[in-house]
Amino acid sequence: MKTDLTDTTASKINKALVKGRRAIGTPAVGMVLTLVIVTDEENAYDALKAASDASHEHPSRTLVVIKRVSRSLRDRTQSRLDAEVRVGADAGTGETVILRLYGEVVDHAQSVVLPLLLPDAPVVVWWPVNAPLDPAQDPLGALAQRRVTDTYACEKPVDELAARADAYTPGDTDLSWTRITPWRSMLAAALDQVACEVQGVEVEGEEFNPSCELLAMWLADRLDVPVRRTRSAGPGLTAVRMDTDCGPISLDRADGSLATLSIQGQPKRAVALKRRDTAELIAEELRRLDPDDTYASALRYGVERLKSADGAGTPAKGGPEAVPAPVESAAKAPADQATAQAPVKKAAAK
């Protein structure tokens, strides 16, 4: 069921939600959280589709905030709020409200969103694109327990990661970090199978891919060894190779779907390691709403290296000889920037 409201108010939107629930025969509210999506018109459809798919696992009230740019000075001084209310089959397992803000109300989006939040339920704010440099200080971000960004959608992802580290507040997270969850799990499991010390690591992937940078920082943080970042044609992360005193360990994924795990003295194994879509990433983030200390530790560990290297990697395969870009220099960062325990020799999953 869809209801279009033009030049409306938050009170009228709430009444439309109640009326819609009664019309489809479900007056009770059975949702577990409020998901606020802050995006533009171009990316609204894809973001809403991902949120709708994720709602099958996490029934939620989804508020899509679209800030429309007024072309004339006269339009910018006039405020208007248009809304589209969806309940029932049109909204997946929850409720959806698409809010289009015009004029001066664009600068006060929090005053529109606040009356529409579910009472006594967590709030998650997601910026698919154009996220603020400090999400926790954003008026909408201040309403949330979790703030989700995506540095992969930025023009300069590595610079954006450095900014995220400087402004990190417990509750911040990034989909570039969520993308490497299977990699972290697989590498930790591989090291649990051997009693060896890691002496060096190479992370291979696309240039300017924030997931590759975050994985390199996580390995350097947890293993306390030099990590070299090399470039490949992708897609995404393509390989992680670890030198140990018991022989090499490698996890290679050339096609973005199936990876090969190689451990010295053991047969090679094929591992499903496909690239996940946005709906799966959002669903994973909604499973835990507490601060991610592992992400914070990895992010802060590599801030100085990212700033000094300015995102420069090493040449792709087949090019000039790769020049190591050690990550261990970041270990000289001030102690007050570390949030996790001292690095260990095995990448034990937290």
Side-chain angles (χ1 to χ4, degrees):
M1 178 179 177
K2 295 182 181 180
T3 304
D4 290 323
L5 301 173
T6 304
D7 197 7
T8 186
T9 63
S11 177
K12 293 179 181 178
I13 294 172
N14 266 320
K15 290 179 181 178
L17 286 169
V18 174
K19 182 179 179 181
R21 286 199 301 268
R22 289 175 177 172
I24 63 175
T26 56
V29 178
M31 288 157 286
V32 298
L33 59 89
T34 302
L35 175 61
V36 181
I37 305 174
V38 187
T39 184
D40 53 21
E41 201 72 64
E42 179 183 357
N43 297 279
Y45 175 82
D46 292 336
L48 186 54
K49 178 66 167 59
S52 179
D53 292 341
S55 72
H56 294 289
E57 183 175 342
H58 308 279
S60 60
R61 174 176 289 179
T62 303
L63 306 177
V64 184
V65 179
I66 302 175
K67 300 179 180 180
R68 301 296 297 268
V69 178
S70 301
R71 297 183 179 180
S72 67
L73 179 61
R74 179 180 179 181
D75 291 337
R76 286 195 292 271
T77 58
Q78 296 177 350
S79 298
R80 191 174 97 235
L81 170 64
D82 294 343
E84 181 182 334
V85 179
R86 303 179 183 178
V87 295
D90 293 315
T93 58
E95 299 173 342
T96 299
V97 181
I98 302 175
L99 304 167
R100 289 182 171 86
L101 283 59
Y102 301 82
E104 294 181 346
V105 74
V106 167
D107 298 324
H108 304 281
Q110 72 279 7
S111 64
V112 177
V113 169
L114 186 59
L116 301 176
L117 301 179
L118 290 173
D120 302 321
V123 179
V124 179
V125 177
W126 171 32
W127 291 269
V129 293
N130 302 324
L133 291 179
D134 190 348
Q137 295 301 317
D138 182 84
L140 285 173
L143 301 175
Q145 285 76 41
R146 290 279 280 181
R147 295 163 293 276
V148 184
T149 57
D150 191 358
T151 51
Y152 189 79
C154 300
E155 185 177 353
K156 296 181 178 180
V158 178
D159 293 344
E160 198 77 12
L161 278 180
R164 293 279 181 270
D166 290 338
Y168 176 81
T169 302
D172 293 352
T173 190
D174 196 277
L175 293 187
S176 295
W177 173 255
T178 316
R179 289 184 179 97
I180 63 173
T181 299
W183 284 83
R184 293 189 292 119
S185 300
M186 192 59 61
L187 292 170
L191 288 178
D192 282 341
Q193 299 180 36
V194 294
C196 302
E197 284 197 2
V198 180
Q199 300 167 337
V201 180
E202 177 186 357
V203 176
E204 179 188 275
E206 290 177 330
E207 185 180 8
F208 306 125
N209 187 309
S211 295
C212 301
E213 303 293 337
L214 282 168
L215 184 61
M217 289 186 281
W218 174 72
L219 287 167
D221 181 36
R222 301 305 299 153
L223 298 175
D224 193 23
V225 298
V227 176
R228 186 173 65 160
R229 172 77 166 86
T230 57
R231 296 201 302 258
S232 71
L237 271 162
T238 52
V240 174
R241 303 179 183 93
M242 294 182 285
D243 296 324
T244 74
D245 55 5
C246 300
I249 298 175
S250 66
L251 184 61
D252 286 276
R253 186 191 67 178
D255 60 356
S257 177
L258 190 65
T260 302
L261 176 63
S262 302
I263 301 177
Q264 183 75 18
Q266 299 183 17
K268 294 183 178 181
R269 281 165 282 183
V271 179
L273 207 62
K274 73 180 183 70
R275 305 188 76 193
R276 299 180 294 168
D277 58 25
T278 307
E280 293 179 84
L281 301 177
I282 287 295
E284 178 182 327
E285 283 300 331
L286 296 181
R287 289 185 198 122
R288 54 171 297 174
L289 300 178
D290 56 317
D292 192 339
D293 295 332
T294 309
Y295 167 68
S297 179
L299 186 66
R300 287 172 169 167
Y301 185 91
V303 170
E304 296 303 321
R305 181 186 72 86
L306 292 175
K307 286 183 177 179
S308 61
D310 195 26
T314 54
K317 287 185 176 180
E321 182 179 357
V323 180
V327 182
E328 73 270 19
S329 61
K332 299 178 182 179
D336 60 356
Q337 292 184 0
T339 60
Q341 60 184 5
V344 294
K345 285 295 180 182
K346 283 197 174 185
K350 293 187 179 179

